[in-house]
Amino acid sequence: MPASKFIAAHRLKALVLPLLILALWLLVSARVWVNPLLLPSPRQVLTTSWELLHTRDYWEGLGISLARTLTGFFIATALGAVIGIGLGASRWANRIVGPSFHAFRQIAPFAWIPLISAWFGGGDITKVAFITVAALPAVIFTTIDGVQNLQPEHKELARSLEISRWRYITQVVTPSALPDIFTGLQLALVVAWLATVGAEYFLQIGPGVTFYLHEGRSLARMDMVIFGIANVGVFGFLLTWLLTRVERRLLRWRPTQATAAGV
Amino acid sequence: MSTAILEPPSTAADIQAVGIHKRFKGNDGDVVALQNVDIHVKPGEFLSIIGGSGCGKSTLLRIVAGLEKADAGTVAVGDAPVLKPTKDRGIMFQDHRLLPWLTVERNVAFGLGHLPRKEALERANEAIRLVGLTGFEKAHPHQLSGGMAQRAALARVLVNKPKVLLLDEPFGALDALTKIQMQEELLRIWEAERSTVILVTHDIDEAVFLGDRVAIMTARPGTIRHFVDVQLPRPRDRSSADFVRVRKRIYGDFFSVSEAEREYEI
């Protein structure tokens, strides 16, 4: 089967760079070219990881971090979709509110931290609020685009079939905007995950997957830091992968979806 | 006419368009799209409107549908003036306009939101059967061929039991063979349902094959030059001498006679 062979070969190519880096890393630590305190050996990192993976704290922290990310992400999705559809569907609303939102978008999410922590304290609400604020613009703006990309023919169809305003929004506008909304959700999910890491790192340190970044740094345990970084990468990747699965399922009706998405 | 004319059912309505004017703003001044256009279509009658591109024939149809407003003149279907689009005037376009995220069945049922779901789907399936799409109820539009998509679009119009069918070059994008097949399907359905039909086309053959009458439109300003009565028995034979004669006469309305003769002398 040449097709599957091609895909297999294609996938293996993606591993070339990580394997090269691993080889280089092994070489560097075997020859002790860099102080092991700054760059521990792969074996050291594996051992530490193995130990940490067997602690209750790790899994609890991971659960808490993922819960924060998803809570912020879902709030941003719901708010963003409603605001985006409202602004996209109503030219008036977009004229009045649109410019303010574009200004809002220019504010770096971290700039909100002092304000949000002053309002909500240093606890979980602050973290989730920060994650939501960070993820929100991506959802809003792609949703507006999606709504405005609605084909005039479909608008006319709804008119000639006397479709009610509610069904028009839920069954014509929203599904038609869905591919664009998902583009925003992909971005928002990445941002939410990174914002989780940022919030955990900069706001009051507590349980969470970033704990190891902070702890490793203060104990000068770079193996722990690398474990923390790996966690950020792996779970960021997994979240994106999961969302892609959901997207593909919901957008089955699109003819190009299966061929375009690859993976 | 040698064919027996069926008694039109009470649902079929006549169409009265009187003194229709329509201008569009163009780059260099206004363009008169329609000037003083009158049409009267009897209940159950099939009127073809033929004209070149830009003659205003689609605009006229859109005004009858209520999708556009005339600058002057009135349109009435039955006793009711046309003010906005309604489901009892079903319109179908060259593009199928099916919603890609809905199955064929749900596309056809899309205008039946006022009915309980079960009843809506039953009626949709009935319409799907009528247009010969049985077996494709659960398919998505991207899985259909052009002809099948137009069948689904026709079913979506028919499911609302319209008094009037407005067809804007519905088969214009289909290949020649599918087109002929669809014309025959449309006739079969029209003969069974007997709704009033206006068909806009640029295909002389299609206009003559389907229409009881053919309105000849000319452009700039868009006006109806005259109506041709197609007094041919149905089913019509496109190669019969009478059919060719009517065709040729309409052809002569658009091109000089010598050109027309040249085509038919080969």
Side-chain angles (χ1 to χ4, degrees):
Chain A
M1 276 184 229
S4 64
K5 256 188 196 167
F6 172 78
I7 292 166
H10 208 69
R11 283 197 177 168
L12 285 179
K13 275 181 199 151
L15 292 176
V16 169
L17 188 62
L19 287 175
L20 266 177
I21 290 173
L22 184 64
L24 188 68
W25 184 11
L26 281 166
L27 184 70
V28 166
S29 45
R31 297 282 173 96
V32 203
W33 284 343
V34 177
N35 181 350
L37 285 177
L38 294 178
L39 184 67
S41 69
R43 176 187 289 272
Q44 173 67 48
V45 172
L46 270 182
T47 315
T48 307
S49 302
W50 190 250
E51 281 166 15
L52 291 173
L53 284 172
H54 284 85
T55 61
R56 226 185 120 90
D57 285 352
Y58 167 75
W59 295 102
E60 270 178 18
L62 180 65
I64 290 170
S65 294
L66 287 175
R68 277 180 193 137
T69 305
L70 292 178
T71 309
F73 172 72
F74 284 128
I75 297 174
T77 300
L79 270 180
V82 169
I83 296 173
I85 289 171
L87 291 184
S90 158
R91 200 177 302 168
W92 258 96
N94 201 13
R95 279 200 192 134
I96 293 171
V97 192
S100 309
F101 268 105
H102 277 282
F104 168 80
R105 183 194 215 173
Q106 305 302 323
I107 301 166
F110 284 102
W112 291 101
I113 286 190
L115 200 58
I116 294 174
S117 47
W119 286 348
F120 300 113
D124 244 13
I125 297 177
T126 305
K127 287 176 185 138
V128 170
F130 169 67
I131 295 161
T132 306
V133 166
L136 194 55
V139 186
I140 293 178
F141 291 108
T142 52
T143 305
I144 292 177
D145 281 351
V147 171
Q148 289 178 344
N149 285 341
L150 176 69
Q151 289 181 34
E153 288 80 12
H154 289 161
K155 209 172 183 171
E156 208 167 82
L157 174 79
R159 272 180 76 202
S160 52
L161 290 178
E162 300 177 87
I163 301 300
S164 69
R165 182 89 185 149
W166 173 249
R167 285 190 71 216
Y168 174 65
I169 295 285
T170 54
Q171 295 189 26
V172 181
V173 174
T174 306
S176 142
L178 214 52
D180 285 307
I181 293 176
F182 263 106
T183 309
L185 293 188
Q186 289 284 4
L187 185 59
L189 187 58
V190 173
V191 170
W193 178 241
L194 297 182
T196 305
V197 174
E200 289 177 359
Y201 195 79
F202 287 111
L203 294 165
Q204 174 201 28
I205 307 301
V209 82
T210 353
F211 171 77
Y212 301 102
L213 295 177
H214 202 268
E215 191 72 355
R217 182 175 170 228
S218 36
L219 299 175
R221 289 275 307 273
M222 290 308 125
D223 48 346
M224 213 182 237
V225 171
I226 292 174
F227 175 71
I229 293 173
N231 267 286
V232 173
V234 166
F235 286 98
F237 182 82
L238 276 181
L239 285 171
T240 304
W241 176 80
L242 259 172
L243 186 61
T244 309
R245 303 287 300 190
V246 173
E247 177 178 355
R248 238 188 276 173
R249 172 118 192 110
L250 284 178
L251 300 182
R252 257 172 318 173
W253 49 267
R254 287 218 300 183
T256 50
Q257 194 58 23
T259 42
V263 185
Chain B
M1 235 188 258
S2 56
T3 42
I5 294 172
L6 295 168
E7 200 62 46
S10 53
T11 51
D14 68 330
I15 302 168
Q16 292 264 20
V18 183
I20 304 294
H21 279 268
K22 180 76 182 176
R23 353 175 122 248
F24 289 113
K25 288 199 164 46
N27 288 335
D28 16 85
D30 285 4
V31 178
V32 180
L34 295 169
Q35 190 173 54
N36 203 23
V37 172
D38 294 324
I39 50 170
H40 178 205
V41 193
K42 294 185 280 291
E45 187 187 18
F46 198 127
L47 175 73
S48 302
I49 301 178
I50 188 161
S53 49
C55 75
K57 57 189 191 299
S58 289
T59 306
L60 178 60
L61 197 74
R62 292 173 60 83
I63 289 171
V64 174
L67 288 168
E68 265 171 64
K69 290 220 183 316
D71 297 325
T74 56
V75 182
V77 170
D79 300 326
V82 169
L83 304 170
K84 65 180 183 71
T86 56
K87 279 187 280 188
D88 57 9
R89 272 168 286 129
I91 187 157
M92 187 178 158
F93 300 92
Q94 184 173 330
D95 52 325
H96 55 71
R97 302 193 178 185
L98 297 171
L99 299 173
W101 48 88
L102 296 182
T103 58
V104 166
E105 180 181 69
R106 297 200 55 205
N107 262 294
V108 173
F110 195 59
L112 301 175
H114 56 288
L115 294 179
R117 191 187 160 84
K118 191 166 165 270
E119 198 186 331
L121 288 180
E122 269 168 20
R123 274 179 61 176
N125 283 314
E126 193 185 317
I128 288 169
R129 197 165 344 125
L130 186 62
V131 299
L133 261 188
T134 307
F136 292 91
E137 293 86 351
K138 308 285 183 206
H140 277 95
H142 72 87
Q143 297 167 304
L144 303 180
S145 68
M148 285 157 76
Q150 284 305 70
R151 280 173 198 259
L154 182 59
R156 182 176 56 191
V157 168
L158 295 173
V159 81
N160 298 310
K161 312 254 180 236
K163 292 176 181 157
V164 161
L165 274 183
L166 305 171
L167 310 174
D168 189 357
E169 298 187 37
F171 313 134
L174 303 179
D175 66 82
L177 294 177
T178 311
K179 193 177 191 174
I180 289 174
Q181 209 177 11
M182 289 298 290
Q183 288 165 354
E184 277 163 8
E185 289 278 333
L186 176 63
L187 270 190
R188 178 179 62 78
I189 290 163
W190 171 69
E191 276 164 3
E193 308 269 310
R194 281 285 158 171
S195 40
T196 315
V197 182
I198 301 181
L199 169 88
V200 156
T201 182
H202 53 235
D203 179 339
I204 298 177
D205 189 82
E206 179 169 278
V208 175
F209 184 70
L210 295 174
D212 292 323
R213 277 189 302 155
V214 179
I216 316 290
M217 274 193 83
T218 47
R220 268 162 252 258
T223 43
I224 292 180
R225 191 192 277 180
H226 61 99
F227 291 89
V228 175
D229 266 313
V230 187
Q231 297 187 346
L232 298 173
R234 297 178 190 271
R236 290 171 180 168
D237 176 358
R238 291 172 212 251
S239 56
S240 74
D242 287 339
F243 191 94
V244 172
R245 185 175 44 75
V246 178
R247 231 194 96 122
K248 192 167 164 182
R249 185 177 155 200
I250 295 172
Y251 194 93
D253 281 321
F254 292 102
F255 307 100
S256 67
V257 176
S258 61
E259 258 181 285
E261 270 168 358
R262 210 175 304 140
E263 168 156 284
Y264 291 104
E265 268 168 12
I266 298 167

